[in-house]
């Protein structure tokens, strides 16, 4: 018998100890402000809350891509397909929208039915084709697992990989806190490796080796390495050489590579190279040598120009995994039955959008490029603001993803004030920013940062640039107050 | 460094050891048969696979409810709302469909945006109202958590409740294997309590007490009790007195009650009583006495007459939980960001369907009752077949849920044959049934059964009754072969 009711002391300690800042105190307070404003509260010094704390494009008025949503509307109510002419004339649905909806319905039968736990076969075929075309190497749909966003894929993979309390996983710092939180839940070690801020937040393989050695000294069995490329929160994009270095390290150390590639289309400089492509190239170049390198790469409908976070769609691909281990991953996925089927269909649409010459192509590419250009413009506008117009703030040039992660240098008085308020300095700064402007960002401590440095992460999703001016004004006043 | 690549020996043992039969070998073979038939294979002795192994109504041609899907189509493509008249005249959308879509869009902004991790406030308000009207007691939306189907809710709850390897949870046997699988993953004890087949699979509180004592003898800290009502796989429905017994036991033993009530509308005899209602009645009747009884009750869009498994929508309500523990549950849910927003909207539609007098009511109630009547008819047709027309088979009268769980008595020769084939006898029987008829059911061993008894679980979702005749014919031949 349980000796007492559930309380904070007797629940699973791994749950209690897990940290997840993205939706922590700041987010909660921002939501309270939003509700107050909605109810007509005029006492706040701003009239709108800007959620720059989370990569949630459609909350910030990014419009969904028409082709995707037209198809999904037909999947929800297939009876619409009975009057093609009306759909076309009254609502502008094109023939390829109707065709795609029919194909998907044939593949999943009804989006209200459970699919295969790994994802509907037809959809995995499309994803395989997409990866083949992106990378120029074959992909077997049997190695693909559709998921409810990338987060649930990460959780599944780490659950299998982390055997026990001696297991460790290399995680970049700063990182997206899903990784540390999930490792906490599994009672496994996060083995941090620091990204080089001075080298545009690049991945330094020497730093990783150092972390591996440190972990070994502590008898940690390092089993995998997480790479987020393009980076969250850093916005860095890895070169083919950087990727090769990580693959070589994984080969030497028998590490599973977990490549979080959800920002693969959010690239502003250069070109995205996938881990799958680089690994396949190396396998081709050095036959046999790399066949033991295990790679799991993840993608999602939440980011990129799709921005469909609420639909919870994603997938991961397994490369060079032992089939017996794959069977365990399948079993684990099957316990949760299947990911949302409409989310799966959206994955299909993302990887197989209208092609040139098809009826929906023009509008699709116009919308897609419009979003991409807007993101790039705002990324650089924000970068310029941080870089040039704010004293004590430095920022790396944005290469990819949806975030900037500037360093802030705060005066001692501000640090003392934070201490008196029982807050970390970066948290104190971000709370003050929220209170003054309604702009919600996340303190660097939520992602990890080198001892003695302070940062915050902001998305550049919010439309317009007047909010950037509000940050600048707040920063001036804050620095003045605590100088 | 990891000494070797991932293999079945060095992955997380809890994952390896978890059992989940609903999608095991039988399901895989059935899927293979389906694919062969689809490709035109004529070598099988049947022309269709019937998936009676899983409660997946729309796979078996149950039609979605029109009102639900019309609203969802508008949420996917809100531009449709710009031409109300066309929607009405060409596609039969009624005014309440349009109104509801607008209300939901206002509440979630875009279904492509992440919502609050606990679920969109507007939707939780509707769920609270539904529970209040169902039970006659107040519900606070703050205690509601929207989930991706009930499965992910169960996983979240058990993750918090099972503190460590000494923790145990009472689980009915037979049970839905999600519970044992999740407990395995958490390295917690499943403390089985046997349901009484001879008493229509009722919950016998003496049997539970016995299980608690046994567990204590083994130094297991029993922390919660799972009750599935109506029962899966048994189809039993609990009386208010049975529920009171469980609540009293939970009070004495400080157990959290996890009430899996996903089949609450699948009731063929009597009336559904929720744990929340019964607990609230007791709290009213004996002020103070029951205030410490913690209850988590779960519901889903997958079952009932909704049958929208693929949409992955559900919720749970927490009653009498410590606010600090609730905060931990919220944090855990927030690590996965939020459940599918369209799935959340479907929860709203399920709990707030068209009311009498509203434009969509007539069609809604016609569809709803049609599904309900069909299920009832097939349940009893199947029951009659098992009960009267199959030697060596006994079956309890169906009271609720979507399943029958007949006992089978197999001749010794069949048991030997199973042994030679390295299969459990019930598994051997079910594989033979699948090979001969294309009908896929689940062996009782997948749910747990009393030592020496054999069962299988079948849904009664498949349309028509000719498949029932095929089971009867197979059974005769099987019994003849091994007599």
């Amino acid at each position: 018998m349980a000796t007492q009711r559930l309380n904070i002391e007797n629940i699973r300690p791994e749950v209690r100890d897990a940290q997840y800042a993205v939706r922590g105190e700041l987010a909660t307070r921002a939501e309270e402000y939003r509700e107050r404003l909605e109810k007509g509260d005029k006492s706040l010094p701003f009239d709108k809350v800007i959620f720059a704390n989370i990569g949630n494009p459609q909350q910030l008025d990014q419009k969904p891509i028409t082709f995707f949503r037209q198809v999904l509307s037909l999947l929800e109510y297939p009876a619409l397909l009975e009057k093609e002419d009306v759909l076309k004339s009254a609502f502008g649905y094109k023939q390829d929208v109707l065709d795609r909806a029919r194909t998907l319905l044939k593949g999943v039968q009804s989006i209200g039915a459970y699919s295969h736990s790994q994802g509907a076969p037809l959809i995995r075929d499309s994803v395989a084709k997409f990866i083949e075309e992106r990378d120029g190497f074959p992909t077997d749909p049997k190695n693909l697992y559709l998921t409810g966003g990338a987060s649930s894929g990460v959780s599944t993979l780490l659950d299998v990989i982390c055997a026990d309390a001696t297991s460790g996983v290399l995680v970049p710092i700063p990182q997206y806190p899903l990784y540390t939180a999930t490792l906490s839940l599994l009672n496994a070690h996060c083995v941090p490796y620091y990204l080089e801020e001075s080298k545009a937040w690049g991945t330094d393989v020497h730093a990783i080796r150092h972390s591996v050695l440190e972990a070994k000294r502590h008898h940690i069995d390092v089993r995998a390495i997480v790479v987020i490329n393009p980076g969250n929160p850093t916005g860095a994009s890895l070169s083919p050489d950087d990727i090769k270095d990580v693959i070589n390290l994984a080969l030497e150390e028998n590490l599973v590579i977990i490549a979080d590639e959800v920002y693969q289309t959010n690239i502003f400089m250069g070109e995205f190279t996938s881990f799958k492509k680089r690994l396949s190239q190396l396998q081709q170049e050095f036959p046999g040598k790399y066949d033991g390198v295990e790679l799991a790469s993840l993608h999602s409908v939440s980011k990129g120009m799709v921005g469909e976070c609420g639909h919870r769609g994603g997938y991961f691909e397994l490369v060079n995994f032992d089939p017996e281990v794959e069977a365990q991953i399948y079993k684990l996925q099957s316990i949760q039955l299947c990911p949302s089927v409409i989310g799966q269909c959206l994955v299909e649409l993302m990887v197989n959008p209208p092609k040139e010459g098809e009826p929906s192509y023009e509008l699709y590419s116009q919308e897609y490029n419009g979003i991409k250009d807007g993101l790039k413009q705002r990324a650089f506008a924000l970068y310029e603001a941080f870089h040039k117009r704010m004293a004590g703030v430095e920022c790396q040039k944005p290469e990819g993803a949806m975030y900037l992660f500037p360093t802030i240098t705060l005066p001692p008085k501000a640090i003392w004030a934070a201490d008196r308020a029982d807050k970390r300095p970066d948290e104190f700064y971000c709370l003050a920013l929220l209170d003054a402007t309604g702009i919600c960002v996340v303190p660097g401590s939520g992602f990890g940062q080198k001892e003695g440095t302070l940062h915050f992460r902001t998305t550049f999703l919010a439309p317009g640039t007047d909010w950037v001016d509000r940050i600048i004004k707040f920063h001036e006043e804050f620095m003045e107050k605590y100088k």
Side-chain angles (χ1 to χ4, degrees), chain A:
Chain A
M1 119 171 172
T3 45
Q4 44 185 344
R5 295 173 56 197
L6 284 186
N7 62 60
I8 194 73
E9 297 302 327
N10 69 7
I11 60 166
R12 195 170 191 81
E14 290 86 351
V15 171
R16 187 182 56 227
D17 298 343
Q19 301 283 329
Y20 191 71
V22 177
R23 296 202 159 197
E25 183 190 351
L26 266 149
T28 306
R29 193 185 292 186
E31 181 61 26
E32 279 164 19
Y33 286 158
R34 193 196 60 76
E35 280 175 24
R36 278 168 58 183
L37 290 170
E38 200 181 67
K39 285 177 186 150
D41 188 332
K42 303 277 181 214
S43 68
L44 294 167
F46 45 85
D47 58 8
K48 199 181 170 183
V49 174
I50 293 185
F51 289 91
N53 59 319
I54 185 159
N56 192 6
Q58 294 189 24
Q59 185 189 38
L60 297 167
D61 300 326
Q62 181 175 307
K63 293 279 164 294
I65 290 191
T66 303
F67 176 78
F68 297 168
R69 292 300 198 88
Q70 285 180 337
V71 174
L72 297 184
S73 70
L74 299 175
L75 301 182
E76 286 292 0
Y77 193 53
L80 291 169
L81 284 162
E82 286 159 24
K83 294 196 175 158
E84 290 204 358
D85 51 329
V86 183
L87 286 175
K88 287 179 178 174
S89 60
F91 299 110
Y93 284 49
K94 310 277 192 208
Q95 189 60 43
D96 53 351
V97 170
L98 312 177
D99 294 346
R100 185 67 65 85
R102 289 206 172 89
T103 306
L104 285 168
L105 282 170
K106 195 158 173 285
V108 302
Q109 190 167 345
S110 162
I111 56 162
Y114 292 124
S115 72
H116 189 287
S117 293
Q118 229 179 306
L122 169 98
I123 295 173
R124 281 186 280 137
D125 289 347
S126 278
V127 175
K129 204 161 153 243
F130 157 74
I131 299 173
E132 284 178 2
E133 283 170 12
R134 184 193 67 191
D135 293 341
F137 292 95
T139 295
D140 188 341
K142 284 206 171 63
N143 299 330
L144 294 169
Y145 295 74
L146 282 269
T147 58
S151 302
S152 82
V154 167
S155 167
T156 300
L157 291 165
L158 291 178
D159 202 358
V160 172
I161 291 169
C162 297
D164 55 41
T166 69
S167 303
V169 174
L170 286 154
V171 172
I173 298 296
Q175 54 112 23
Y176 176 53
L178 166 69
Y179 293 98
T180 38
T182 307
L183 290 169
S184 284
L185 292 176
L186 294 167
N187 194 23
H189 293 273
C190 168
V191 180
Y193 66 93
Y194 286 89
L195 301 174
E196 280 299 308
E197 183 162 12
S198 60
K199 293 178 187 156
W201 291 114
T203 296
D204 175 2
V205 79
H206 302 290
I208 305 178
R209 266 183 227 285
H210 178 75
S211 296
V212 171
L213 281 175
E214 271 297 293
K216 283 183 193 173
R217 280 206 319 126
H218 291 89
H219 308 289
I220 294 171
D221 180 23
V222 185
R223 314 199 107 218
I225 178 167
V226 172
V227 182
I228 311 176
N229 179 40
N232 176 4
T234 65
S237 167
L238 293 187
S239 71
D241 278 352
D242 287 346
I243 295 174
K244 184 181 165 186
D245 287 346
V246 173
I247 292 173
N248 277 323
L249 180 84
L251 175 65
E252 283 167 40
E253 301 281 347
N254 274 316
L255 302 175
V256 179
I257 301 170
I258 299 176
D260 177 339
E261 301 179 328
V262 301
Y263 298 99
Q264 60 187 264
T265 59
N266 295 105
I267 294 271
F268 308 119
M269 294 164 70
E271 212 175 59
F272 169 74
T273 304
S274 75
F275 268 81
K276 168 77 184 296
K277 180 178 182 175
R278 199 70 195 89
L279 177 57
S280 302
Q281 288 170 338
L282 290 167
Q283 285 190 273
Q284 199 171 55
E285 208 176 327
F286 304 95
K289 183 176 170 188
Y290 289 91
D291 295 355
V293 175
E294 294 149 298
L295 166 68
S297 56
L298 299 116
H299 196 14
S300 158
V301 300
S302 298
K303 311 301 170 185
M305 274 42 77
V306 185
E308 293 277 8
C309 309
H311 273 99
R312 315 306 297 119
Y315 72 82
F316 61 82
E317 181 187 8
L318 300 180
V319 182
N320 297 334
F321 269 60
D322 181 327
E324 283 188 319
V325 175
E326 289 187 333
Q328 296 299 317
I329 290 171
Y330 171 68
K331 180 181 70 185
L332 200 48
Q333 188 138 326
S334 75
I335 294 172
Q336 291 290 317
L337 299 164
C338 73
S340 158
V341 178
I342 194 123
Q344 294 183 42
C345 292
L346 187 49
V347 170
E348 205 281 335
L349 298 169
M350 171 180 76
V351 300
N352 184 20
K355 306 281 181 299
E356 205 162 346
E358 291 174 0
S360 294
Y361 178 75
E362 197 184 319
L363 179 60
Y364 168 78
S365 60
Q366 190 185 312
E367 292 174 335
Y368 187 94
N369 294 328
I371 294 168
K372 189 157 191 169
D373 294 345
L375 286 173
K376 188 171 177 176
Q377 276 164 23
R378 290 200 298 277
F380 281 89
L382 203 55
Y383 162 71
E384 293 290 323
F386 291 148
H387 188 59
K388 296 189 181 155
R389 296 173 58 197
M390 284 165 69
V393 173
E394 282 175 62
C395 188
Q396 296 300 312
K397 240 184 192 163
E399 298 178 339
M402 297 183 164
Y403 313 100
L404 290 179
F405 195 64
T407 308
I408 40 176
T409 308
L410 297 184
K413 271 196 193 166
I415 296 181
W416 298 330
D419 197 48
R420 278 195 303 278
D422 203 24
K423 304 281 174 208
R424 293 171 168 160
D426 52 357
E427 198 183 359
F428 181 75
Y429 178 88
C430 295
L431 283 165
L433 174 67
L434 174 63
D435 292 343
T437 65
I439 299 167
C440 183
V441 300
V442 188
S445 47
F447 306 96
Q449 52 198 352
K450 273 193 184 150
E451 187 75 28
T453 68
L454 298 172
H455 301 78
F456 63 88
R457 185 190 82 168
T458 175
T459 70
F460 37 78
L461 297 167
T465 50
D466 71 302
W467 59 282
V468 179
D469 297 330
R470 275 151 67 195
I471 296 179
I472 295 172
K473 183 163 168 282
F474 158 78
H475 184 74
E476 277 168 10
E477 289 167 2
F478 184 93
M479 296 300 268
E480 182 62 29
K481 181 171 175 187
Y482 294 105
K483 80 168 178 197

